[in-house]
Amino acid sequence: MTTTVGSYLATRLSEVGIENHFVVPGDYNLALLDKLQAHPKLEEVNCSNELNCSFAAEGYARSKGVAAVVVTFSVGAFSAFNGIGSAYGENLPVILIAGSPNTNDSIDHNLLHHTIGTHNFDYEFEMAKKITCAAVQIKHAKDAPSLIDFAIRECLAKKKPCYIEVPTNMSTQSCALPGPIEGVLYQSPSEPKTLTAAVDAANKLIGSRLKPTLLAGPKLKSAGAEKAFLRLAEALGCAVAVLPAAKSLFPEDHPQYAGVYWGNVSTKKADAILQWSDLTICAGCVFTDYSTTGWTSLQPATHRIEVDSDNVKFPDHYYGHIKLADFLDALAKKVSKNDKSVVEYQRLRPVPPAIKAAEPSAAITRQEMARQIQGIINSKTTLFAETGDSWFNGVQMDLPKGAKFEVEMQWGHIGWSVPACFGYSVGAPDREIVTMVGDGSFQMTVQEVAQMIRLKQPILIFLINNYGYTIEVEIHDGPYNNIKNWNYAALMEAFNANDGHGKGFQVKTGAELSEAIKKAKSNTRGPTLIEIQINRDDCTNELISWGHYVALANARPPIT
Ligand SMILES: Cc1ncc(Cn2nnc(CCOP(=O)(O)OP(=O)(O)O)c2C)c(N)n1
Ligand SMILES: [Mg+2]
């Protein structure tokens, strides 16, 4: 009894939890697409192009935990590489599957279409190795089971993308049947002796400091350590802040929550309490020029314990092969309560300003826009914040219990949010998705709104039209930040054609915005795009300040 390479791959994708795979067909992957589509528990989702396809898979992995994107050789894969770069930087297990030339062609020394016109067809595989944790080429059917299992196992264990190249004449070839999926899912546990040593060292250091705090980072999610982090927070009883890319990973209605720590553009005075603290346990944190506001907010190493996905770093010790959740849980069982930082935080916590509704007929402002968006966020909302001033508007939103926040701050590809929220929604149709995206970003990946119409997704898109690349303006302005304006709301008519239910509104006042939001709420058969026209310089003061420090960091002279 045997199976085929294509069916083997389909079985494995389904067994790891994938129900929808994102595709753009091409002659090198058609036979494979047939095999995937034939699987009773797999349903393909078509995308408009491979860039959006890879971002849709990246978004699906955010809601489902793992994703697959299937493209054709070179012309497809090269665009998909961008979303794979995002998955790598954002720690998301996305399986990139690329159709490739017939295995006889390299032997016959043929030149082929969809290649760079040489006899070497391995360049894509070589490139994929650089941006994935595992890359395999299936050149012989008998190797398919081991190669597919290896690539998927690495992808899931490391929470990084992998690459599986399937020649066009391989999908229908016979190969051995798959064994239990446990052989792919198995991951070695934390090394017990090292775990105990690290927890004892942490407990001792925490006990030696007066006012410890906790900082949540984005890797908490990929490590599945959010609950363990909450347990440690409640065992220690200290103030808890989150990095911007970790917003919503700790409940914002929790009495210990102290805001988003982002240097001098932090929310709720998170920067004050962390700078007051003499030790911060940083769990799953990623400190970059953007997340530290141009390196202005990184605490001294002597004040940090850095708990990463599989290791713990102290100022003077390193402990490897420890899973993040195991360490947090074991430490939660050891630490004594020390609530000094949360007591101090009660003194520092700013009273939220009461933002009054603007004059309904006045020209809409960013502040009025943010006030009204805040008003629709509920426990079922997943808020997507695109690169741009949307980052700062999004980070400042208060999230009720259950609300989630998605941002792509590591890779930062403008336009990510449109295909990503589309893919996320395929994986989590019960979530109410609200996306904040600027006009410049929207122009990059707008086509996937048409796919939202096709799948009747009631996604609400706030398109902030400030007539250009405002985030870039605040970092470093020039003529290149001016873009051609579109009639964005009118796009929905074009995308609907004769069978769609997408709605588009252009709003210039607070009254028009609240009316458009009402109509969006009743549009359950498709997406609603609300284009909000605001002044080019009407941005958050946080963007201006952050942009200033990032520009300074970019401008550092070369070290001679
Ligand atoms: C693929 C890609 N290309 C260029 C950039 C650089 N960049 N980052 N932000 C921007 C402008 C974003 O403009 P918008 O979306 O209009 O956002 P706002 O800041 O709200 O105006 C650029 C051009 C980028 N981040 N990603
Ligand atoms: Mg803009």
Side-chain angles (χ1 to χ4, degrees), residues 471-493:
I471 187 172
E472 299 291 292
V473 167
E474 305 316 330
I475 293 175
H476 178 106
D477 202 3
Y480 31 75
N481 291 328
N482 305 320
I483 62 176
K484 172 71 182 69
N485 189 36
W486 296 0
N487 180 345
Y488 297 98
L491 283 170
M492 297 310 267
E493 217 33 59

Side-chain angles (χ1 to χ4, degrees), residues 425 433 449-461 492 496 499-505 519-529:
S425 182
I433 293 174
V449 174
Q451 305 300 355
M452 294 175 194
I453 290 174
R454 186 183 194 183
L455 269 62
K456 296 185 170 46
Q457 295 176 333
I459 291 173
L460 174 48
I461 299 170
M492 297 310 267
N496 278 335
D499 59 356
H501 300 285
K503 290 194 183 325
F505 302 100
K519 289 183 182 145
K521 281 182 178 169
S522 60
N523 182 21
T524 55
R525 294 188 299 169
T528 301
L529 183 142

Side-chain angles (χ1 to χ4, degrees), residues 387-390 412-414 438-441 444 466 468-472:
T387 299
D389 202 26
S390 298
H413 183 302
I414 56 170
D439 51 329
S441 300
M444 288 256 180
N466 51 20
Y469 296 149
T470 295
I471 187 172
E472 299 291 292

Side-chain angles (χ1 to χ4, degrees), residues 89 91 217-219 243 284-288 291-292 410:
N91 300 297
K219 287 185 175 179
L243 286 177
C285 292
V286 181
F287 297 115
T288 71
S291 64
T292 63
Q410 179 59 46

Side-chain angles (χ1 to χ4, degrees), residues 128-194:
K129 285 180 187 171
K130 303 288 184 198
I131 56 170
T132 61
C133 66
V136 298
Q137 287 177 307
I138 302 176
K139 295 201 166 182
H140 300 281
K142 67 177 181 350
D143 297 336
S146 61
L147 292 174
I148 290 170
D149 281 13
F150 163 73
I152 296 176
R153 181 184 312 116
E154 290 296 292
C155 176
L156 293 173
K158 296 186 173 133
K159 300 289 185 284
K160 295 290 184 186
C162 69
Y163 174 81
I164 301 174
E165 187 174 297
V166 184
T168 181
N169 60 336
M170 201 50 66
S171 308
T172 53
Q173 296 304 301
S174 299
C175 70
L177 285 161
I181 191 61
E182 284 71 14
V184 175
L185 300 176
Y186 176 75
Q187 292 183 32
S188 57
S190 299
E191 196 286 310
K193 193 169 166 232
T194 310

